[in-house]
Amino acid sequence: VISTKLYTNAFIISPGPPQKILLGYKKRGFGAHFYNGFGGKVEAGESPAQAAARELKEECGVEASLDHCGTLLFVNKGGPEWAFQIEIYRADGYSGTLIETEEMRPEWFSAADTRFSETSLTPEVIPPPIPYNSMWPDDIYWIPLLLTKLPFVGRADFDTDTSGRYEMLRWWFGV
Ligand code: 6U4
Ligand code: NA
Ligand code: NA
């Protein structure tokens, strides 16, 4: 039996140039020490869009005009079987002031390939590239679709390896 839980994940994009994406360093709980979008559980009586806006505000202090852009299913095989359905949102900008919270530390990353950036752009305006090595392993497959505004769906199946880390066994992502 798979019991699916509904979650949200929201990303703020700064169109640039250089194009940037806001990620949060997760300080506690599930996925701690990974960079990710801002999000969490959809609560009773809430739509996913309402939950996405609430979680964004709770976790980094800002509001944004969020557009739905993807649906992902994560199935975990370790322990009792469970699955996450995650509704992904994006916005080209935000209002308010970004703050670090108990759960997340917000940071900007370069979304475009900065190896070929114009030399007139000083290092201060070119943040580090998206830290895929410090993110959930599925992210590298669908973040590019999010950045180009292609609506997507996908699934990834995980198992825990001997060190307790999540290992991605099978995956499929597409537009
Ligand atoms: P609590 O502590 O219950 O209030 P809550 O903020 O509701 O937590 P949280 O932070 O545990 O929920 O939500 C998990 C977040 O991690 C969601 O934004 C979805 C995201 N997530 C889970 N698995 C993921 C994966 N494989 N790839 C990914 N994001 C994932 O990119
Ligand atoms: Na969260
Ligand atoms: Na939360």
Side-chain angles (χ1 to χ4, degrees):
V1 173
I2 291 178
S3 64
T4 305
K5 298 188 176 117
L6 192 56
Y7 285 75
T8 65
N9 206 349
F11 295 82
I12 308 290
I13 314 294
S14 172
Q19 189 189 36
K20 289 180 284 186
I21 183 169
L22 183 71
L23 300 175
Y25 178 79
K26 196 153 195 277
K27 295 155 70 174
R28 63 166 193 210
F30 188 67
H33 312 303
F34 279 161
Y35 285 93
N36 205 340
F38 303 91
K41 209 171 294 150
V42 178
E43 288 169 5
E46 229 181 14
S47 68
Q50 288 169 333
R54 175 184 52 73
E55 291 279 353
L56 179 69
K57 181 90 197 242
E58 281 176 10
E59 295 185 353
C60 70
V62 302
E63 290 169 35
S65 170
L66 295 171
D67 292 322
H68 183 254
C69 64
T71 299
L72 299 176
L73 183 66
F74 299 120
V75 180
N76 191 301
K77 196 154 78 65
E81 290 216 310
W82 52 263
F84 281 146
Q85 179 179 329
I86 305 188
E87 299 298 346
I88 312 285
Y89 291 83
R90 56 158 289 149
D92 286 317
Y94 64 92
S95 59
T97 305
L98 284 170
I99 53 163
E100 176 172 349
T101 61
E102 283 183 14
E103 186 164 338
M104 288 288 220
R105 186 180 72 236
E107 289 180 39
W108 289 101
F109 294 92
S110 291
D113 189 336
T114 53
R115 285 175 301 171
F116 308 110
S117 294
E118 293 166 49
T119 49
S120 61
L121 296 173
T122 61
E124 298 86 82
V125 301
I126 306 178
I130 297 173
Y132 286 116
N133 290 335
S134 303
M135 296 168 73
W136 283 99
D138 49 274
D139 293 15
I140 197 167
Y141 296 101
W142 56 265
I143 295 271
L145 304 174
L146 173 115
L147 292 170
T148 50
K149 299 192 183 181
L150 288 170
F152 56 89
V153 293
R155 170 176 169 164
D157 294 4
F158 290 89
D159 199 358
T160 43
D161 69 16
T162 48
S163 66
R165 275 192 296 263
Y166 287 93
E167 187 190 1
M168 195 165 68
L169 303 174
R170 290 172 295 277
W171 59 90
W172 182 88
F173 299 92
V175 293

